Structure formats: structure tokens, C-alpha cells
């Protein structure tokens, strides 16, 4: 295994990650699941023009609370830069994928931890409804947790702008830049504030 991958694995084992995540990584090491470890850590899951999409699991190249937290922190930082002196608001929706509800909560927590109000659908919603909610409530952005047409091991995170459409230039590249600036999980604020969440029925 390459030194760089070993260092990244070591960083997750020693960093501010939950015990269950560390235990899963340690089990993969103990059972010499080298291929799985390499695929999970050889790169960072890329925040592309539409957001994130990947297989769920532990590691920097997987969909999990930490990769989603990092993406949300980057998006929150960018919204703050673009809408100064504004009471920022976002809408969040999700589909029926495994972990979509968990990932939705992580997304909401990171936004509210950054002082951004969240409109959160109480159950499953189609993407067009998220797009409508962004415009209806005057939100600056939004996120939908969905893996679209990908297989069941996958989940996804799509970012939206205040027009209710997915990010386009220059916002897509600029958000990617903000996400890439986050070099440690300690730069992500997960301590959400539920008082900033409005549930949509």
C-alpha cells in the first residue's frame, strides 16, 4: 500500500472521527482487506459540478457523514461570501436511498452550526419540490440527497443555487474550491442548532 494512502488511513484512525468509523477501518486492516482500503482512501470523493456521488462506506473516497459534512461546510462558506449581511436560508430534501435521512440530518446540522436556517422536508420528496421550495421561501441555496440512477450501494449530494437550479458556472467551480480548502475534519462544524430548522410537512 502506498505511503500516502497509509498516512490518510492513519489520519482517520487518529483524527476526530467516531469510534464506529475507526473500528470499521481497523477491522479492514486486521483482515487485510487491502483492495477495499485502497479504494476507500486513494483519493478524496470529488465534489463535482453537480455535487457528490459515490459508494457509501468509511473513507475519504466514500459517501459518509464526513465527506458530506466537508461538502456542506464548503457550500456554507461560499454562501456566506456571496450573500454577506443576509439571514441565509437553505432547503434540504432527500429520496428513499439507504442513509439518505442520516445524510440529510448531517447536512442540516452543518448548515445550522454555521448560522444558516434550514427548511427541511419531513419525508421523501422529489427533486422538483426542492427546487420549488428554494424559490418559494427565498433561500440562497439547497441540497437534495439522491443517487439518481446509480446502484443501491451509492448515494449522492446535489447542490442548488437561489434560482432553484443546480450549480452552474462560476458557482460550481467556486464551491469546489471552497470544499478543497478544507484540509482537516476539525474545520467542519457538526454541532447543529435545531432551533434554526423549520420542518416542512
Amino acid at each position: 500500500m502506498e505511503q500516502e494512502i497509509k498516512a490518510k488511513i492513519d489520519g482517520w484512525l487518529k483524527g476526530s472521527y467516531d469510534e464506529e468509523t475507526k473500528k470499521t477501518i481497523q477491522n479492514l486492516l486486521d483482515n487485510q482487506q487491502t483492495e477495499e482500503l485502497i479504494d476507500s482512501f486513494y483519493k478524496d470523493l470529488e465534489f463535482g459540478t453537480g455535487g457528490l456521488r459515490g459508494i457509501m462506506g468509511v473513507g475519504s473516497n466514500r459517501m459518509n457523514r464526513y465527506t458530506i459534512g466537508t461538502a456542506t461546510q464548503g457550500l456554507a462558506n461560499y454562501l456566506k461570501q456571496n450573500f454577506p449581511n443576509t439571514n441565509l436560508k437553505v432547503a434540504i430534501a432527500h429520496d428513499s436511498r439507504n442513509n439518505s435521512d442520516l445524510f440529510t440530518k448531517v447536512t442540516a446540522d452543518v448548515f445550522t452550526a454555521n448560522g444558516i436556517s434550514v427548511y427541511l422536508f419531513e419525508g421523501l420528496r422529489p427533486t422538483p419540490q426542492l427546487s420549488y421550495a428554494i424559490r418559494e421561501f427565498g433561500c440562497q441555496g439547497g441540497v437534495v440527497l439522491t443517487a439518481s440512477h446509480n446502484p443501491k450501494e451509492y448515494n449522492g449530494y446535489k447542490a442548488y443555487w437561489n434560482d432553484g437550479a443546480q450549480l452552474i458556472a462560476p458557482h460550481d467551480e467556486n464551491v469546489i474550491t471552497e470544499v478543497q480548502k478544507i484540509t482537516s475534519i476539525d474545520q467542519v462544524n457538526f454541532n447543529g442548532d435545531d432551533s434554526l430548522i423549520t420542518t416542512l410537512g
Side-chain angles (χ1 to χ4, degrees), residues 11 21 98 138 142:
T21 294
N98 290 336

Side-chain angles (χ1 to χ4, degrees), residues 9 11 16 23 58 61 66 84 113 120-121 137 151 157 161 195 198:
I9 291 167
S16 306
K23 209 160 95 181
V58 299
N61 188 37
Y66 301 105
L120 189 62
F121 287 104
F137 296 112
Y157 175 109
W161 200 242
S195 72
T198 301

Side-chain angles (χ1 to χ4, degrees), residues 152-164:
K152 67 181 188 327
E153 310 70 62
Y154 283 74
N155 211 321
Y157 175 109
K158 292 181 184 172
Y160 287 74
W161 200 242
N162 64 353
D163 57 358

Side-chain angles (χ1 to χ4, degrees), residues 33-165:
Q33 304 277 312
T34 311
E35 230 170 274
E36 175 68 20
L37 281 163
I38 289 170
D39 197 51
S40 298
F41 285 97
Y42 82 97
K43 65 173 187 172
D44 291 340
L45 189 63
E46 281 171 26
F47 192 102
T49 51
L52 297 172
R53 189 172 292 157
I55 295 169
M56 293 175 275
V58 299
S60 59
N61 188 37
R62 293 283 184 262
M63 287 286 289
N64 53 61
R65 75 183 306 263
Y66 301 105
T67 51
I68 288 200
T70 303
T72 307
Q73 185 66 57
L75 181 54
N77 294 348
Y78 186 65
L79 287 170
K80 284 179 173 181
Q81 289 168 23
N82 271 263
F83 302 98
N85 311 315
T86 305
N87 290 328
L88 294 172
K89 298 179 287 187
V90 296
I92 306 173
H94 70 84
D95 67 6
S96 60
R97 288 282 174 149
N98 290 336
N99 296 316
S100 277
D101 50 354
L102 168 76
F103 294 157
T104 297
K105 182 66 174 123
V106 170
T107 304
D109 283 346
V110 175
F111 277 131
T112 59
N114 283 276
I116 298 172
S117 297
V118 168
Y119 289 97
L120 189 62
F121 287 104
E122 65 182 358
L124 313 180
R125 292 293 186 277
T127 302
Q129 203 166 345
L130 173 86
S131 180
Y132 175 79
I134 291 169
R135 289 168 290 152
E136 176 68 14
F137 296 112
C139 297
Q140 284 70 43
V143 171
V144 64
L145 283 301
T146 173
S148 306
H149 56 279
N150 289 75
K152 67 181 188 327
E153 310 70 62
Y154 283 74
N155 211 321
Y157 175 109
K158 292 181 184 172
Y160 287 74
W161 200 242
N162 64 353
D163 57 358

